[in-house]
Structure formats: structure tokens, C-alpha cells
Amino acid sequence: MDRGSRAPVDYRRRSQSGHESMRWSKAFIPTLREDPADAEAISHKLLVRGGFIRQLAAGSYSMLPLGQRVRRKVSEVIRGEMDRIGGQQMHLPALHPAEIWQRSGRWYDIADDMFRLKDRKGTDHVLGMTHEEIFASLATELFSYRDLPQIWYQIQTKFRDEPRPKSGLLRVKEFTMKDSYTLDIDEPGLDSGFDKHREAYFRIFRRIGLDPVAVEASSGIMGDGESVEFMMRSPAGEDWIITCDGCDYRANVETATSALEDIADGESSGLERFPTPDLTTIKALAEAHPETAAADHQIKTLVYYVGEEPVLLLLRGDHELQEQKLKDRLRSEDVRPGQPDEIRELLGADPGSLGAVGVEGVRVLADLALQGRENMVTGANEDGWHYSGVDLERDANVGEWVDLRAVEDGETCAVCGATLSRWKGVEIGHIFKLGTKYSKAFEAFVQDEEGVSHPIIMGSYGIGVERAMAAVVEANNDESGIIWPVSVAPYEVVITVIRPDDEVTMAAADALYDELVEAGVEVLLDDRDERPGVKFADAELIGIPYRVTVGPRGVESGALELVERRGMEKSEAPLAEVSGELVEVITAARFGV
RNA sequence: CGGGACGUAGCGCAGCUUGGUAGCGCGCAGCGUUCGGGACGCUGAGGUCGCCGGUUCGAAUCCGGCCGUCCCGACCA
């Protein structure tokens, strides 16, 4: 380093409090004036523009200083609430030997979502996408009912080879998850741990500035017990949620049901073939034969493959298949629509003329809405021909009657009869009753009072930290930028210095800074040599909850301007009272609502 | 995986149709004037035009392949 010519350090500009100043001029906060071209979601745009995150690759983001501070605070809120319900924090490896996943079977059940790699010896490993296996193997060191219940958790990096990362932090390949696990000897214990988590999740989300809706959900690959998702309304959401306007029925469309009105089938005329040249859609057929083939009088026939096995799915003509329901019913994730050539080979016709009438040797699943219906219209498995007068019970080999259809907006609630609404939500948390799948696989058994062994009953509970952080932004922003709740704000106060080159002004700002820091407030001192407009705009963009403006004008008059980011309401306070006022309002808000 | 779009300076973009060795705005550096809501002047730095190959005297531009990123559909915290 060049010693001789270096200018002496200007000690007057350093904080007197002994704390290291967080001066904006020295901070790495790369704000952008324009929206990044590849961002769509509001949280994605604002987090990049505000200098919180930068993309490294698709679904892979660096947390810059501001982003890391928010992430840490979100984690802390979660940690506090987990501890409050008796959770014990651990930290497990992210790198797992394949063996442990083979033991639970998920090595084989999970297809491409899991990152797999080999070590130098050629041994298979995975990057953990969740940690049921590891916790279950630790649970083998529990032996007695006296050891239960346990709540174990960690806040750890998860890896998922997402087919389609998107929307900034909302869907990524590497993220931090708080995952907790309850270990109980019986169902009431599981219920209790589950309820504790439900309550804790509401507290967590409300504290960080979200308004969660708990909905009934499908468990997917996790198991088949009860499962509740915490959703936040947002256009950036990827799930459709059905909620009742009249009662508290709330469900993901993946499991949602509704009440259907009865449809008059009319006089049954008996099975009859009729020509339908060039009529290959439900709509076209309905228009050509409005009196007999209205959409809700047709049977929609879909060919799906479960692994190698073809399955015929029958739905009412105006209904849509909900694929997750099919997967849950079939207990398989390996479910896909048939290819045109496969379909032709199976049924002898192209999509548009398919039906289940007379089909032998193929598994047929029919939707509940078709049960008891007669006088329907369906394809005859010959291009250009359909059947009328179809009575499924009589004319087809329906193996199972199951719920397969997707509920639509405006349908009727099966519980109370009111109207159902459908809206988009971001999944910010998910809690599952796992049961004994993993404890059995890992032989995690405990003995009861009588000395009888029981597999431990597990529950599994997740919150995506960065996703929650993005959700907070989705829910808390305006045209100027982010509006962080105090509970997770990267800084609580920003002191905007209007003329940092003016010694008196800068000294006043430094003094205020010291006072606030002494009082334990997290302050960012904007001492940059920028025009006021730039500083105001940046402060609003990064969303600091409170701003104090310190300029020659205010210092001279003895009254400083105070602005609350939410609502942008301005007030004035005597210079000597500013810090006291801020400390009061911030202390009150810090814990979150 | 299927469909669509894009890839040129840190960011946002033009140039490509009609080949001649790269330009605009913002940002950045220096100097000066400014300074309570994204200032102005002057000077300047910064680019393997995603990668590989082909056509051509000559390729950001034409052709082929690959890679990457985003968006729309099927998956999950």
C-alpha cells in the first residue's frame, strides 16, 4: 500500500459511539434505476432493483448485504416461534449418501427433482431436498414413550432440480428451508404437534407481514396423511385456491370439492350409434346436437398412462381433469397423458371420438359427477362416430368411481351451499401428518407403558425462508418500492443527509445516528454525495420503514422531517426528540403484529 | 419435458432485413457549477457482439450446431 501520499483519516466523520458506522457511502447496495429485463413478478423486480439479490443462474440467487439481513431476520422470527413450541434446533448435512434414500424408497420414487452425484469412490449421493430420512434415522435413538414427544427442526439449504425455476426467489433450485418434525407415540400426540405448528405458522407469517390462509391440500410425494398449506393471495402465485364465501371451507384445487346441481337426463332411449363427421370437440358436438349433446350431457374420455399401464378417465363434458387428484388416487407420480399414436393403438380412434363403451381389459376410472347419469353422449372409438343414450353403469366397465374433476370459480360449496371463489396463491408453508412411513423404514420404534413397541408417528413441517421473504415483498409494496415491516426490515431507520458536505448538518446527522445506535436501533446513514431526489428514491425503493431527513434547513430550524414508509406520512419533530420518538415506535413494531 | 421469445459495455436498448470490424440512454472516473424529490457542462474509461464451426477477401449481421436466460403449459417450500 502507498503509505506516504495517503490522506489522513477524517476522524470527525466516524461514529463516536464506537459502533462501526453503516454509512451508505461505504455499503454495497447496488440499486438499479430500471426494472431488470428478465423479471416479471413484483418481488423479483424490487429485490433485484433494490440491491437485495443477484441471479447467478436460473433458480440460483446470491443474497447481497441487504438481502442477507432480511433473510436472517425472517429466519430469526421462525426460529423464535419454533423454540416457543418446544422445537429443538439441529443442523443436518445437505449431502446424503444414496443409501439412506434407498432405504425409504424415495431414491426410486422421486424422478428428476433430486440432485444426484457420485463421490470420488463412485458412491451415489444426493443433495437433500428435504430431511425426513435423516431425522428418522436419528430417531432410532429414542427408545421409550417417556422420550416423546419431540419437536426437531433445522434451518437448512435444500436443493431441488426444479423443472422450471421462476419469479425470482419464489421458485428456485437452492433455498433455505425451516423444516421441523414431530415425533409422537400416538395419533393424539401427532394431532397436538400438528396443531402447535399450525398456530406457530400463523404467528410467524403474521409477524413478518403476511396474511396467510390455511387450506386443505394434497400431500404429493410426502405421504397420504392430513396436510395443510399456508397460502398468500398473489397474482404471482402458482396454486389455485378454492375458498367459500359463506363458511370456512378452504382447499387447494388439487383436493377441492363442490356440490353439483342435478341434471335431468331425460327419457333413456337406449344405446345408439350416430355419425359425427368432423365433430372432434365437446363444443362442436354440443353445437351440432344441442338437444341431446349439451356439454354436460357428454362424457369426456381421456387416456392416461400410469407407468406403462393405460387408464381411461371419464369426466362430464364440461369438466376439467385435476391431475393431482388422479395421482393421489393412483398413488403414483408417474402419470401422463397418452400420446396420439398410443391412443389410436389402444382404442382404434383418435382423440375426439373416444369412449369407454364396450372397452375391455383397460382400467376405467369415472368421475363422481357421472355416477347415476344416463342418456349421455360419448365417442364410439371410431373416428366420426359417437354413441347416444349411454348409461355408464350399464354400458361400460367402470372400475372405480372417483373424484377427478377440478372445481371452478363460482361453484357451490358442498359444506354450506354458498358460492366458492377461486384465486391464485403462493404456498408459503406446508404441514403434513406423515404417519409411520419413515419410522418403519428406519426402525425408529419406542416402547409404551406395557413394553410394547410402536413405530414413532411423525409429522413434517416446512417454510421456505427466501420464498417467505419474496412473499413479504409481494404483499408489501407500492409504486416507489418495497415497504418492509419493521420485523424484517434490513434497517429500521434511514437517515437521509441532505448536504453531507455541510459540516454542521453532517455533525447533526452523526449525532442522531449515534443516539439511535446506542438505543439499539438499526440505522443506515445515507451520507452519499447524491442529490436529495436520488436519496429519497433509493430509501423508498429499499423500503426502510422510517426515514429522518437531516438537512441544513432542518438543522437550522431545529425540526427534522420524519417519514413513515408505509403511507408516506410525514411529520416534524424537534431535533432533540427525534430519536426518542423513533425508538418508541420501532420498539413497539419490532416483534411484528 | 412440450410451445414461444431473447442473448451486443454494470443496467436498459438500437444496429442484423441490404456483410466492410459497434452505437444510444442510464450508471462509472476526473474537473467545475449545482444541491429539501432521480441536476448540468467539459473530459474520459469500459465491449471475446453467448460459444463452436461454416460461407466469404471480409461476419454482431448470412448458414449449422451447442449453451444460457425469460415467458406460457405439466411439478413444489
Side-chain angles (χ1 to χ4, degrees), chain A residues 242-305:
Chain A
I242 302 289
T243 51
C244 178
D245 300 345
C247 68
D248 60 3
Y249 180 71
R250 285 134 208 275
N252 193 304
V253 268
E254 292 176 352
T255 63
T257 57
S258 70
L260 287 178
E261 286 158 40
D262 283 338
I263 289 173
D265 284 330
E267 206 62 20
S268 182
S269 51
L271 195 62
E272 202 175 310
R273 251 168 64 101
F274 66 106
T276 51
D278 299 323
L279 298 178
T280 58
T281 63
I282 302 277
K283 191 170 167 234
L285 191 56
E287 282 167 2
H289 300 276
E291 66 297 336
T292 55
D296 55 11
H297 286 263
Q298 291 189 45
I299 299 165
K300 180 187 286 187
T301 307
L302 304 172
V303 177
Y304 264 69
Y305 277 78

Side-chain angles (χ1 to χ4, degrees), chain A residues 364-432:
Chain A
V364 179
L365 304 189
D367 184 65
L368 260 14
L370 256 21
Q371 207 156 21
R373 295 291 305 277
E374 46 189 42
N375 215 13
M376 306 280 289
V377 171
T378 193
N381 287 333
E382 182 177 341
D383 290 350
W385 288 87
H386 279 73
Y387 281 117
S388 63
V390 178
D391 175 350
L392 274 183
E393 315 248 10
R394 181 191 66 203
D395 301 323
N397 290 315
V398 176
E400 295 142 89
W401 296 90
V402 296
D403 177 23
L404 291 175
R405 56 176 284 263
V407 173
E408 299 292 334
D409 189 63
E411 289 187 10
T412 303
C413 177
V415 178
C416 76
T419 305
L420 296 174
S421 303
R422 197 181 79 149
W423 45 272
K424 274 194 154 187
V426 174
E427 182 186 353
I428 47 178
H430 200 161
I431 60 181
F432 304 87

Side-chain angles (χ1 to χ4, degrees), chain A residues 44 53 55 57-63 113 115 158-176 238 464-467 470:
Chain A
H44 187 190
I53 60 171
Q55 184 179 46
S60 171
Y61 285 85
S62 302
M63 286 285 149
D113 286 349
F115 280 106
K158 307 291 193 221
F159 298 88
R160 295 188 186 173
D161 195 352
E162 287 289 340
R164 182 149 122 73
K166 58 177 288 202
S167 306
L169 257 27
L170 285 174
R171 177 166 222 83
V172 293
K173 295 209 265 203
E174 176 181 343
F175 63 100
T176 313
E238 302 179 60
V465 176
E466 293 86 357
R467 178 182 284 184

Side-chain angles (χ1 to χ4, degrees), chain A residues 264-536:
Chain A
D265 284 330
E267 206 62 20
S268 182
S269 51
L271 195 62
E272 202 175 310
R273 251 168 64 101
F274 66 106
T276 51
D278 299 323
L279 298 178
T280 58
T281 63
I282 302 277
K283 191 170 167 234
L285 191 56
E287 282 167 2
H289 300 276
E291 66 297 336
T292 55
D296 55 11
H297 286 263
Q298 291 189 45
I299 299 165
K300 180 187 286 187
T301 307
L302 304 172
V303 177
Y304 264 69
Y305 277 78
V306 186
E308 296 302 307
E309 187 203 359
V311 181
L312 253 50
L313 308 177
L314 273 28
L315 288 136
R316 207 171 84 182
D318 57 335
H319 288 166
E320 291 291 321
L321 170 70
Q322 169 51 52
E323 225 173 71
Q324 189 63 43
K325 288 185 176 177
L326 178 65
K327 290 177 178 174
D328 289 348
R329 177 73 196 192
L330 267 22
R331 293 167 171 278
S332 171
E333 288 295 308
D334 187 12
V335 165
R336 62 172 178 86
Q339 302 294 319
D341 52 324
E342 289 173 325
I343 293 172
R344 176 153 270 283
E345 192 178 333
L346 183 74
L347 297 177
D350 291 327
S353 303
L354 304 179
V357 175
V359 174
E360 301 287 338
V362 182
R363 190 175 178 186
V364 179
L365 304 189
D367 184 65
L368 260 14
L370 256 21
Q371 207 156 21
R373 295 291 305 277
E374 46 189 42
N375 215 13
M376 306 280 289
V377 171
T378 193
N381 287 333
E382 182 177 341
D383 290 350
W385 288 87
H386 279 73
Y387 281 117
S388 63
V390 178
D391 175 350
L392 274 183
E393 315 248 10
R394 181 191 66 203
D395 301 323
N397 290 315
V398 176
E400 295 142 89
W401 296 90
V402 296
D403 177 23
L404 291 175
R405 56 176 284 263
V407 173
E408 299 292 334
D409 189 63
E411 289 187 10
T412 303
C413 177
V415 178
C416 76
T419 305
L420 296 174
S421 303
R422 197 181 79 149
W423 45 272
K424 274 194 154 187
V426 174
E427 182 186 353
I428 47 178
H430 200 161
I431 60 181
F432 304 87
K433 291 185 179 176
L434 287 179
T436 55
K437 172 176 176 178
Y438 299 95
S439 50
K440 280 179 180 158
F442 291 90
E443 295 180 44
F445 288 76
V446 291
Q447 287 179 296
D448 64 17
E449 297 91 322
E450 267 85 52
V452 180
S453 283
H454 299 274
I456 293 174
I457 301 179
M458 292 178 66
S460 154
Y461 316 85
I463 295 178
V465 176
E466 293 86 357
R467 178 182 284 184
M469 176 175 158
V472 172
V473 179
E474 290 286 334
N476 298 275
N477 67 78
D478 63 15
E479 356 26 270
S480 307
I482 302 170
I483 306 172
W484 291 111
V486 172
S487 59
V488 295
Y491 288 94
E492 295 164 326
V493 175
V494 54
I495 299 174
T496 301
V497 188
I498 293 302
R499 288 287 303 268
D501 59 328
D502 180 76
E503 271 185 44
V504 180
T505 301
M506 197 58 220
D510 273 331
L512 176 61
Y513 176 87
D514 289 345
E515 230 178 301
L516 287 165
V517 170
E518 273 309 303
V521 176
E522 296 178 357
V523 195
L524 182 58
L525 181 64
D526 191 354
D527 61 334
R528 293 176 299 167
D529 180 21
E530 287 288 352
R531 316 205 100 229
V534 174
K535 297 186 170 203
F536 293 145

